[in-house]
Amino acid sequence: MSETVQESSPSAAEPQNEETAEKSEVSNTEALLVQEGDIAGDYLERLLDLLDYDGDIDLDVEAGRAVVSIDGGEDLEKLVGSRGQVLESLQELTRLAVQQETGVRSRLMLDVAGWRAGRRQELTELGRSTAEGVLESGKEARLRPMTPFERKIIHDAIAAVDGVHSESEGEEPNRKVVVFKS
C-alpha cells in the first residue's frame, strides 16, 4: 500500500504575511518605475533621432521616481533652454508619453546635459545663504519665482538651517519662496 503525501502550499486565497506583501508592493513599484524609464528612454531616443542630436540616455530609479538623463551631445543645451524652460516642457511631454502607454500619471524626472544636477547645487547654496541672511537680519526674504523643482530644493536647503522656515506663495508661474525667521 502506498501513501500519497501532498505538500501544502499557500493558496491564493490565503492572506500573505505583511513582510511578503510589502516586498511584493516594492517590487511592483520598482518594476513600474523601470517600465516608465524604458518608455521614456524610447520616446527620447526617437526625439533625438528626429532632431539629429547625439546623446546617451541613462535610466535610473531614485527616491521613488524614474530618472532619465541625456548626456554627451553638443546640441543638448538647446534642449535645456533659458533657465530650463525647454527642459521642463520636454519633461512634461515625456511624462505624457509614458502616461499614454501605461495609463498612469508619471512623476519621472528628466535631466539634460547635467543641467538639473548643477542647478540643484546652485539652489542649495542659494537656500542656505538666504536662510543665514534671514537669521542675521531677522527680516523675511522673498526669492524670485521658481518652478516646483527649484522651490523644493530651496525648501529642503532652508529646512536644514535651524531658526528659519520657508513657505511658497503666489500662483504659478509666479510662485516664489519666502523665508522667515522662526
Side-chain angles (χ1 to χ4, degrees):
M1 174 179 225
S2 71
E3 237 177 85
T4 305
V5 177
Q6 285 188 323
E7 290 185 42
S8 93
S9 62
S11 72
E14 290 181 34
Q16 297 178 336
N17 68 34
E18 285 184 39
E19 185 176 323
T20 304
E22 280 182 26
K23 285 181 182 177
S24 177
E25 188 175 318
V26 167
S27 176
N28 289 341
T29 301
E30 183 92 10
L32 179 60
L33 294 175
V34 168
Q35 179 189 15
E36 285 184 14
D38 288 341
I39 294 166
D42 291 345
Y43 174 79
L44 292 165
E45 192 169 307
R46 288 191 308 269
L47 177 71
L48 290 175
D49 286 345
L50 285 171
L51 295 171
D52 197 27
Y53 286 5
D54 289 325
D56 297 321
I57 297 174
D58 182 43
L59 310 173
D60 203 357
V61 173
E62 295 175 11
R65 65 170 43 179
V67 177
V68 181
S69 302
I70 306 173
D71 291 301
E74 292 178 22
D75 296 321
L76 293 180
E77 290 174 10
K78 295 174 186 174
L79 295 178
V80 174
S82 175
R83 292 183 50 214
Q85 290 176 324
V86 175
L87 175 56
E88 289 292 328
S89 297
L90 183 57
Q91 175 177 277
E92 191 58 30
L93 288 172
T94 305
R95 286 176 173 177
L96 289 171
V98 170
Q99 180 179 352
Q100 185 176 28
E101 195 156 327
T102 64
V104 178
R105 178 78 175 129
S106 174
R107 294 179 47 239
L108 78 82
M109 181 70 67
L110 176 63
D111 193 6
V112 175
W115 186 84
R116 280 197 201 276
R119 187 72 177 134
R120 182 174 281 116
Q121 288 178 327
E122 290 172 23
L123 292 167
T124 299
E125 175 57 29
L126 174 63
R128 187 190 58 71
S129 63
T130 301
E132 289 172 355
V134 168
L135 270 177
E136 285 179 27
S137 71
K139 296 180 182 177
E140 68 186 46
R142 281 183 164 63
L143 300 176
R144 66 167 180 71
M146 296 180 184
T147 66
F149 162 78
E150 293 171 321
R151 290 193 312 270
K152 166 99 171 73
I153 294 166
I154 294 285
H155 285 302
D156 289 348
I158 291 166
V161 178
D162 290 334
V164 293
H165 70 278
S166 60
E167 298 174 5
S168 290
E169 71 175 22
E171 299 295 322
E172 296 293 350
N174 296 313
R175 198 156 168 80
K176 59 183 87 174
V177 175
V178 183
V179 184
F180 303 94
K181 189 169 182 177
S182 296

